[in-house]
Amino acid sequence: MTSFINTSEGNTIAYNQIIGKNTGIVFLSGYNSDMHGNKALYLEKWAKENNHSFLRFDYSGHGQSSGKLETTCFSDWYQDAEYIINKKTKDKQILIGSSMGAWIMLMLAKRIPQKIAGMVGLAPAPDFPKLLIWDKLDMDNKRKLIKNKSITIKNEDGSENNFSYKLIKDSLKNLTLSESIYFNGPVHLYHGMADIDVPYNISIKIIKSLKRSNNVKLLLEKKAGHRLSDKLQLKKIIDIIQEIKTEI
């Protein structure tokens, strides 16, 4: 059953949580996605069957939470994540970050490492407004983006996402790969080599940025795209979680 919590920033965040005896798991969804995606629901079902606490939620402007996507940005979504993790979870958690959720995951590793036992990045997309949008535009298209205040990007599945100039400006204040990420726990990344939305070289950049941890792994799947949501891929995510459980 969906519950709601009011954050210190005045946002109302929708969330679903189950309580178990084993290590807590937090799912961090991607941009313009919500807590009802295939991966979130599949992982929740597995967590319930295996007596793990599990938390999934909608960022501001997403799903059932307050706000609008076009008027919120990364700083809002990160604050939502940190707030709800601090308020609703006990002890250290395993974070599962999908696409943009992995960006939030890495920020959490920098700011509240005491709450994190291990991390799993699924097609991770840290710093994506800069790396995948702004840096690829020539000066004319940058001027158009600033003038129009947004840009539309087509995804590999044919859908489209609209990204505001506000989001891009805000992302420049929240870059994670521009400096080292100090984290002691296990980190597993899973990326499709056929991902045309977020190229797998970004996972390699993450590995190079991570310091201190002696347990950083990258699984590449040659024909996989960005979603990582078919039956075999979902099972692989569970295998990764099972492996991390033996490492924390």
Side-chain angles (χ1 to χ4, degrees):
M1 181 177 177
T2 300
S3 300
F4 297 86
I5 186 171
N6 295 320
T7 75
S8 56
E9 301 296 324
N11 303 320
T12 300
I13 303 303
Y15 70 96
N16 282 69
Q17 186 175 32
I18 59 174
I19 303 299
K21 293 182 179 180
N22 294 322
T23 307
I25 299 169
V26 178
F27 184 81
L28 301 163
S29 55
Y31 176 83
N32 202 15
S33 185
D34 60 36
M35 64 175 169
H36 296 288
N38 287 343
K39 290 191 287 290
L41 296 179
Y42 184 89
L43 293 174
E44 181 183 68
K45 180 176 182 292
W46 176 86
K48 189 172 185 179
E49 291 170 350
N50 290 272
N51 203 17
H52 283 272
S53 294
F54 187 88
L55 173 66
R56 56 187 169 97
F57 64 96
D58 290 333
Y59 312 118
S60 300
H62 291 71
Q64 297 173 265
S65 292
S66 64
K68 296 181 179 180
L69 181 65
E70 58 269 21
T71 59
T72 53
C73 52
F74 183 84
S75 291
D76 301 304
W77 308 327
Y78 171 80
Q79 289 166 0
D80 295 340
E82 182 176 331
Y83 185 86
I84 198 168
I85 287 171
N86 281 330
K87 289 292 185 179
K88 300 304 296 184
T89 68
K90 296 180 180 180
D91 304 318
K92 290 188 174 185
Q93 306 291 302
I94 297 173
L95 303 186
I96 315 292
S98 176
S99 193
M100 184 193 76
W103 183 7
I104 290 175
M105 177 183 79
L106 294 174
M107 288 288 285
L108 291 166
K110 285 187 170 187
R111 298 188 183 181
I112 53 169
Q114 71 278 6
K115 287 289 295 182
I116 305 171
M119 301 191 290
V120 180
L122 307 175
D127 305 354
F128 79 86
K130 178 182 186 296
L131 297 178
L132 303 180
I133 301 174
W134 186 253
D135 287 355
K136 293 188 174 184
L137 296 176
D138 59 27
M139 285 308 300
D140 285 343
N141 282 312
K142 285 179 178 177
R143 292 189 189 99
K144 289 178 183 178
L145 167 58
I146 294 169
K147 180 180 179 181
N148 297 330
K149 297 184 179 180
S150 67
I151 188 171
T152 300
I153 304 290
K154 183 171 286 190
N155 303 316
E156 67 179 12
D157 62 1
S159 63
E160 293 182 342
N161 274 325
N162 191 59
F163 300 102
S164 68
Y165 181 50
K166 177 182 177 181
L167 168 62
I168 293 172
K169 285 196 299 181
D170 179 76
S171 74
L172 299 179
K173 299 184 294 184
N174 291 286
L175 300 177
T176 52
L177 301 183
S178 57
E179 57 186 27
S180 296
I181 302 168
Y182 294 96
F183 180 70
N184 288 322
V187 181
H188 289 234
L189 307 178
Y190 180 21
H191 216 133
M193 295 179 74
D195 187 340
I196 61 175
D197 291 337
V198 181
Y200 68 88
N201 73 298
I202 289 184
S203 280
I204 296 172
K205 289 177 184 285
I206 295 171
I207 290 173
K208 291 179 178 179
S209 296
L210 285 164
K211 309 297 180 185
R212 290 187 184 153
S213 177
N214 294 318
N215 189 352
V216 180
K217 299 177 183 178
L218 170 60
L219 172 64
L220 295 176
E221 187 172 327
K222 185 173 182 179
K223 295 183 178 180
H226 188 61
R227 296 291 181 182
L228 299 177
S229 292
D230 70 26
K231 289 183 179 180
L232 290 176
Q233 291 162 351
L234 292 171
K235 184 179 182 302
K236 178 57 66 178
I237 296 168
I238 296 299
D239 291 342
I240 292 170
I241 295 171
Q242 295 275 39
E243 186 173 351
I244 276 195
K245 283 171 58 180
T246 70
E247 299 167 344
I248 58 178

